[in-house]
Amino acid sequence: MTEKLFYTDPKVFEWDAEVTGAAFHDGLWHVTLDKTAFYPEGGGQPCDLGTIAGKEVIHVMKKGEEVVHIVKEKPEGTRVHCQIDKIRRLVHTQHHSGQHLLAAVCLKMYGAKTLSIHLSMNSAAIELDVPALSDEQLENIEKEVNRLILSGRRIRIFYINRAEAGRYDLDEIPEGIERLRIVEIEGVEYNACGGTHVGSTSEIGPLKILKTERVRGHVRLHFICGIRLFEDYKEKLSLLADILEKLSTAQDTVLQKIEKIKKELKEKEQKYNALFDEYAELLTDRFIAEQKGPTAGKIFPDKTVKELSVISHKLLQKGMKAAVLGTILENKIILSQNGDLAIDCGKIIKQHAPAFSGKGGGTPVKAQAQFPDSEKLNEFFRFVTGHLGN
Ligand SMILES: [Zn+2]
């Protein structure tokens, strides 16, 4: 049995231990120690990482009463110095205590019970058994959680027997567990939990709800707190600084600048569309003069599918019965007809494009297909122009 320092003293990050076992499985060493501070994955909390005698620990898991450390290289000697990644542990600990507090507040304020939790280095999330939470409710939850964090409530850990569980208003305890580890947030809640926790709510640090999403008809609430929140803030500041530099503007004028750029882009687009229309007039005149049959076919190297659409519309307007236009730029083909032909453009694409690794569809008079490369596009173009008898 491994002595579990993460239960008795969660502030141990470095210690010496005896190796009690080392077994080789699938190219990795499974090492056991007489005592460990490495938290094994469990209860929604990811495992600790670090080193044993300088060898990197890549995963830690629980196996009965033992904690198994997975390493790529076998640590030398029987007496080893161990070290865990302190920041990783602190992030998970803050997120875990923050999760307990957030879950307790959601339940107390809005009767929203936590169904599952997820903790990671980047963020944390809880799934609540309610279909939705309003912005106002989320704001109230965040405010109350941060009020409780600032009030420095003690977080205490103690053990009870299963028979005493009734006194603590706990969630259902799985069969076979006789001894329970209780995490108490003073004046807030009791929770049966094997994870690592801070000693006071103030050590959670500020907590921010990031977003909500709907999963299986429930709300999933994403949040960050403590060290991770600070790191995230630093990342956001750096991102903002980059954006401001690229836009040559300051924070208080950045939105106006973006609006101005959007407006200019829109004006340019309108101007471009008008010019393209004029160009398409000349292009289609020349194009029609070169055509021998009633179907116009051409592959352009550089047009967008939107531009092909303008060209094909004009071709049909000017008397062509059908048009097959492709573009190498997007590997797309537009097939259209003026309604005189007894063909169904959508059906032709749906039935035949897959044989050329293409896909698409549309209406009887206009359809579009996408191909993986120009070779397939060319093959399909030859097929379809042949099919239309041009
Ligand atoms: Zn927990």
Side-chain angles (χ1 to χ4, degrees):
M1 178 176 149
T2 320
E3 186 189 340
K4 298 166 186 77
L5 302 171
F6 49 85
Y7 281 159
T8 46
D9 189 355
K11 297 228 159 116
V12 173
F13 303 112
E14 219 172 304
W15 70 104
D16 289 323
E18 293 288 334
V19 175
T20 55
F24 196 63
H25 292 291
D26 300 328
L28 296 166
W29 286 94
H30 290 210
V31 175
T32 50
L33 304 169
D34 65 338
K35 55 175 181 269
T36 191
F38 278 101
Y39 180 81
E41 185 178 67
Q45 185 174 332
C47 69
D48 283 326
L49 297 177
T51 56
I52 296 174
K55 307 293 183 201
E56 196 190 340
V57 175
I58 58 167
H59 189 62
V60 186
M61 57 194 189
K62 222 174 158 181
K63 199 171 170 191
E65 286 305 309
E66 295 280 6
V67 173
V68 181
H69 311 78
I70 316 292
V71 285
K72 284 184 191 161
E73 286 174 67
K74 192 184 174 189
E76 279 170 33
T78 51
R79 186 92 188 141
V80 287
H81 186 68
C82 309
Q83 237 175 330
I84 63 169
D85 179 339
K86 196 172 165 181
I87 297 296
R88 180 181 163 93
R89 160 68 77 77
L90 282 175
V91 167
H92 290 147
T93 302
Q94 286 179 320
H95 274 157
H96 202 156
S97 296
Q99 176 267 310
H100 278 213
L101 185 61
L102 178 64
V105 169
C106 288
L107 183 66
K108 199 169 183 180
M109 291 185 84
Y110 300 110
K113 198 169 146 42
T114 295
L115 300 171
S116 67
I117 70 161
H118 174 77
L119 309 178
S120 79
M121 276 304 280
N122 290 328
S123 68
I126 57 175
E127 188 180 330
L128 297 164
D129 74 340
V130 290
L133 285 169
S134 68
D135 288 348
E136 194 192 344
Q137 287 175 320
L138 290 170
E139 208 179 314
N140 292 340
I141 289 167
E142 198 176 78
K143 240 187 229 168
E144 177 61 4
V145 167
N146 282 294
R147 187 188 69 79
L148 289 165
I149 286 170
L150 278 176
S151 70
R153 303 292 179 99
R154 205 177 146 204
I155 298 181
R156 196 167 68 95
I157 287 164
F158 57 95
Y159 290 83
I160 59 164
N161 290 322
R162 190 185 181 92
E164 302 165 86
R167 271 194 249 157
Y168 296 97
D169 189 25
L170 301 170
D171 285 342
E172 208 175 308
I173 309 295
E175 290 290 319
I177 298 177
E178 287 311 315
R179 195 94 177 120
L180 302 175
R181 184 174 185 262
I182 305 297
V183 179
E184 175 195 7
I185 303 177
E186 185 189 8
V188 178
E189 68 150 11
Y190 297 98
N191 202 322
C193 172
T196 59
H197 287 278
V198 293
S200 152
T201 55
S202 59
E203 290 176 54
I204 293 170
L207 184 145
K208 181 85 195 78
I209 293 174
L210 297 178
K211 61 173 183 182
T212 59
E213 57 176 337
R214 230 175 124 85
V215 277
R216 298 175 284 268
H218 301 134
V219 173
R220 185 183 283 158
L221 207 62
H222 294 262
F223 71 96
I224 48 174
C225 56
I227 297 173
R228 190 62 200 105
L229 179 63
F230 184 68
E231 288 300 320
D232 189 67
Y233 183 65
K234 282 203 311 199
E235 285 162 23
K236 297 271 194 295
L237 281 183
S238 158
L239 177 67
L240 179 64
D242 282 352
I243 292 170
L244 298 181
E245 199 195 323
K246 282 198 194 307
L247 294 178
S248 310
T249 189
Q251 190 170 332
D252 53 351
T253 49
V254 67
L255 288 181
Q256 285 146 275
K257 181 93 184 195
I258 289 170
E259 284 307 324
K260 192 173 158 234
I261 292 171
K262 275 174 74 180
K263 195 169 158 249
E264 281 170 6
L265 268 177
K266 203 173 170 188
E267 283 165 5
K268 284 205 171 106
E269 199 189 339
Q270 281 166 350
K271 205 168 173 181
Y272 175 81
N273 287 344
L275 281 172
F276 188 83
D277 206 76
E278 281 178 36
Y279 160 76
E281 275 297 324
L282 299 172
L283 182 85
T284 47
D285 283 344
R286 204 170 63 207
F287 193 11
I288 286 170
E290 288 166 3
Q291 298 302 310
K292 292 182 187 74
T295 302
K298 191 176 170 69
I299 293 180
F300 295 91
D302 54 0
K303 302 276 181 280
T304 65
V305 76
K306 205 174 151 197
E307 290 165 351
L308 290 191
S309 196
V310 173
I311 297 168
S312 78
H313 184 69
K314 286 194 186 294
L315 287 170
L316 298 181
Q317 260 184 346
K318 291 179 182 180
M320 298 305 289
K321 289 201 182 304
V324 190
L325 303 178
T327 171
I328 301 293
L329 182 74
E330 299 182 0
N331 285 323
K332 281 178 181 161
I333 275 184
I334 286 185
L335 172 60
S336 57
Q337 63 131 330
N338 66 355
D340 287 353
L341 300 180
I343 60 162
D344 186 325
C345 298
K347 269 191 190 157
I348 291 173
I349 297 263
K350 263 213 146 34
Q351 276 173 7
H352 301 290
F356 301 85
S357 312
K359 57 179 184 202
T363 68
V365 291
K366 192 178 178 197
Q368 187 181 318
Q370 166 85 58
F371 296 90
D373 52 49
S374 58
E375 205 177 309
K376 296 284 177 201
L377 175 105
N378 272 299
E379 284 173 22
F380 183 75
F381 177 79
R382 282 195 293 274
F383 165 80
V384 86
T385 46
H387 187 83
L388 294 177
N390 194 19

